Amino acid sequence: MCTIMEEAARGASDRRIREIAERERVTERFLLSGIASGRIVMPCNPAHDPVPAAIGEGLLVKVNANVGTSRDMPDAEAEIRKMDTAIRYGADAVMDLSTGGDIDTIRHMMLARCPVMMGSVPIYEVGLAAARRKAVVDMTEDDIFSGIETHAKDGMDFMTVHCGITRETMKWIRDSGRIMDVVSRGGSFLTAWILHNEEENPLFENFDYLLELARKYEFTLSLGDGFRPGCVSDASDQAQIGELATLGHLVRRAREAGVQAMVEGPGHMTIDQIPANVKMEKTLCGGAPFYVLGPLATDIAPGYDHITSAIGGAIAAQNGADFLCYVTPAEHLSLPDEGDVKEGVIAAKIAAHAGDLSRGLGKDRDDAMARARKTLDWEGMYKVCLDEEKARRYRARGCTGASEGCSMCGDVCAVKIVNDYLVKDRGALGPNTRFDCD
Ligand code: SF4
C-alpha cells in the first residue's frame, strides 16, 4: 500500500488535501508537491484519522500542546480537560506525554476524544516499565520497538523518536563542557542506555525497521533532539549540531522509504542564534519541517517561560520554523494545570501568528481587529481576539457606560476624538455610526 508521501508523489488528491488546501489558501498542487518532497508533512494515522492538517513550508505555523499525567499527578480526567482546553484555544496538535497512572488507558481515552493531530514519545512508557522492573537502562530493543508499534496501532499520528543519539554523537556530549548536559527525557534514557550497555542506539542501528513500522501504520517521524540545549550557555554546540547533522541523514533515508519526517529543535537559546539555527536545520535536513520547543530566550524566568518561549518561537517562526511546541508558565516547576495550559497555548499562538505575519500570512484577522478598534466595535474585537473571555473581563473593568471608549482614557478616547473630527470630516463614517459601551 502507498504511503501519504507516495500518494502525493503520484499527484493523488483526496478529501484531506482539499480541506487543507482550502484552509491554508494554497493550491492542492502546492500541497502535494510539498508532501512529496518532504518539505511538508501531513501527520495522519488512519487509526486516528484527525482533522486534516499539514505542517511545513508555505503553510501557517502550527502549535502543539503537551499534556499527560505524571507519577505525582496521575489524574486522567484532569489531563483530558487540559487537552480540551488546549484545543479550545487553538492548539493544532496535542502530545500525550503521560508517565503516571494507567498510561495505556489514558492514551486510548485521549485518542478517542482528540480531534486534532496527536503525538507521543513511546520511549517514556518503555523506560518507565523497565525502571519498574529494574532500571531504565534494562529496556531491550524489543521493548523499544514494541512500544512504538503499540502507539502506532493505537493511532498516534506522529511520534518523537530519538534516533540521532549515537555512540559517535555521545562523544561530543561527554566532552562538551555543557552546564546542563542532557535535558531531554527520552534523550537521557538513551544516553544512559548507550553508556550502560555499550551498544549502539537501537533506533539508529535499526532505523530501517522503524521505517517499516512507520510505513505500515502511517505515522510521521518526529526526529527528536535528545541533545537539545537546556540552558542558553549550551546552545549551538558540537553535540547539538552533530545530532542535527545525523538527523538530516535520517530524513533522507525516511524520504527514500516514503515515510514522512519532521525534525525537532531547541531548546534554550539566545535570540541572536535562532535565525542561524533554523537555517541550519533547513539546510542539513533538506527543508524538513522544523518543530521547536521554544526556543526559550533566557533561563531566568521560571513562572514566565510561556513568555521566554514565545519570544524565541516568534523569531524561529519568522525565520522558517514550522511547528511550535508550547511552553507553559509551569515549565521547570511542576505539571501545568488547566490555566497554565491555556496561557501556554495562547502565548504559542501569538508567537506562531507573529511569525505568520512576518511571512505574509494571516493578516486578515489583524485587519479585522484594527477595523473593529477604529469603530470602537467591541463585539467585533471580541470575535477575532485569541481570548474573548479575558478581553470581555478586562473591558468590563471600570466601564461606566459614560464613554464609548474604555476606562483607560474615558472622555478623551483618542479613537473617538479622531472619528468625531478627522474621519467624519473625510466622510468615511456615516452619520448613523454608533459607539456603544457594553
Ligand atoms: S479609551 Fe483610550 S485605550 Fe480605550 S479605546 Fe479609547 S483610545 Fe483606546
Side-chain angles (χ1 to χ4, degrees):
M1 218 171 87
C2 285
T3 63
I4 288 173
M5 213 174 161
E6 288 163 345
E7 289 285 352
R10 288 177 43 229
S13 191
D14 62 12
R15 163 191 64 86
R16 299 170 301 186
I17 298 290
R18 284 190 289 278
E19 264 186 60
I20 297 169
E22 193 180 344
R23 199 181 325 124
E24 298 269 358
R25 299 185 190 176
V26 296
T27 63
E28 290 175 41
R29 201 168 153 176
F30 173 86
L31 200 53
L32 288 168
S33 114
I35 295 171
S37 69
R39 302 171 90 88
I40 291 175
V41 294
M42 181 176 75
C44 182
N45 183 330
H48 180 222
D49 195 20
V51 172
I55 303 161
E57 205 172 272
L59 305 180
L60 293 166
V61 176
K62 307 298 182 305
V63 165
N64 172 73
N66 293 335
V67 295
T69 56
S70 67
R71 187 201 61 183
D72 298 337
M73 299 175 81
D75 182 351
E77 294 297 335
E79 296 311 310
I80 300 275
R81 284 196 297 278
K82 290 179 202 172
M83 180 180 82
D84 290 348
T85 297
I87 295 167
R88 187 178 331 127
Y89 286 99
D92 303 284
V94 171
M95 289 188 81
D96 170 25
L97 305 187
S98 290
T99 55
D102 183 349
I103 297 172
D104 286 327
T105 303
I106 295 164
R107 185 173 62 256
H108 297 155
M109 286 164 69
M110 284 195 180
L111 276 164
R113 192 178 169 87
C114 183
V116 299
M117 302 177 282
M118 184 149 211
S120 66
V121 192
I123 204 160
Y124 289 180
E125 200 176 343
V126 174
L128 285 163
R132 275 194 297 274
R133 290 193 305 269
K134 198 173 169 195
V136 167
V137 292
D138 292 310
M139 61 187 170
T140 66
E141 188 173 328
D142 274 356
D143 294 336
I144 294 171
F145 284 105
S146 305
I148 291 170
E149 187 159 16
T150 301
H151 284 219
K153 272 187 196 157
D154 287 346
M156 281 302 166
D157 300 298
F158 63 98
M159 283 182 225
T160 296
V161 276
H162 301 87
C163 306
I165 297 181
T166 65
R167 297 185 82 172
E168 185 65 24
T169 52
M170 280 287 303
K171 287 182 197 156
W172 297 323
I173 224 33
R174 234 198 215 118
D175 308 329
S176 66
R178 279 186 170 195
I179 297 175
M180 290 293 294
D181 287 324
V182 177
V183 296
S184 149
R185 197 186 301 163
S188 73
F189 287 7
L190 283 163
T191 298
W193 192 94
I194 292 169
L195 287 171
H196 178 80
N197 295 292
E198 297 183 350
E199 284 179 34
E200 188 52 281
N201 176 359
L203 292 171
F204 177 77
E205 185 96 316
N206 291 311
F207 189 65
D208 285 336
Y209 182 54
L210 181 62
L211 294 176
E212 266 179 49
L213 292 177
R215 277 192 68 90
K216 183 174 173 187
Y217 296 99
E218 188 60 83
F219 63 86
T220 298
L221 302 181
S222 189
L223 295 168
D225 55 335
F227 292 158
R228 71 165 172 268
C231 63
V232 294
S233 276
D234 293 349
S236 308
D237 68 354
Q238 197 178 8
Q240 183 203 320
I241 307 306
E243 184 186 24
L244 183 65
T246 305
L247 296 183
H249 173 64
L250 298 179
V251 165
R252 273 196 295 283
R253 284 174 60 188
R255 287 176 180 175
E256 281 162 17
V259 168
Q260 302 190 96
M262 53 189 171
V263 173
E264 296 185 10
H268 293 235
M269 179 167 286
T270 54
I271 52 177
D272 58 301
Q273 295 186 23
I274 295 172
N277 266 264
V278 177
K279 283 176 178 54
M280 216 170 342
E281 186 274 348
K282 290 289 176 183
T283 306
L284 291 172
C285 303
F290 198 22
Y291 176 21
V292 292
L293 178 69
L296 284 73
T298 171
D299 303 333
I300 63 161
Y304 297 90
D305 276 328
H306 56 314
I307 297 174
T308 63
S309 67
I311 291 169
I315 294 167
Q318 179 193 14
N319 286 278
D322 309 282
F323 194 19
L324 306 184
C325 185
Y326 87 161
V327 173
T328 78
E331 184 78 10
H332 302 109
L333 300 169
S334 69
L335 198 70
D337 66 15
E338 220 177 310
D340 298 325
V341 167
K342 175 184 163 183
E343 286 191 49
V345 169
I346 289 176
K349 290 294 287 185
I350 293 169
H353 185 66
D356 284 337
L357 289 174
S358 74
R359 290 153 69 161
L361 301 172
K363 193 161 138 298
D364 297 7
R365 196 166 171 177
D366 295 73
D367 289 346
M369 176 63 85
R371 283 192 206 95
R373 282 188 174 144
K374 182 62 181 164
T375 52
L376 293 167
D377 169 10
W378 296 96
E379 287 304 320
M381 292 182 229
Y382 301 144
K383 214 162 113 187
V384 292
C385 69
L386 285 170
D387 185 354
E388 177 182 341
E389 182 276 320
K390 186 171 186 178
R392 283 187 186 279
R393 186 158 38 87
Y394 274 57
R395 157 83 177 133
R397 286 181 184 170
C399 183
T400 60
S403 155
E404 293 89 356
C406 67
S407 57
M408 180 80 178
C409 326
D411 283 346
V412 284
C413 170
V415 175
K416 183 176 181 323
I417 291 168
V418 170
N419 285 342
D420 280 349
Y421 292 92
L422 178 63
V423 179
K424 280 183 187 167
D425 183 60
R426 281 197 208 117
L429 288 176
N432 296 325
T433 303
R434 288 188 60 227
F435 299 102
D436 291 323
C437 186
D438 296 330

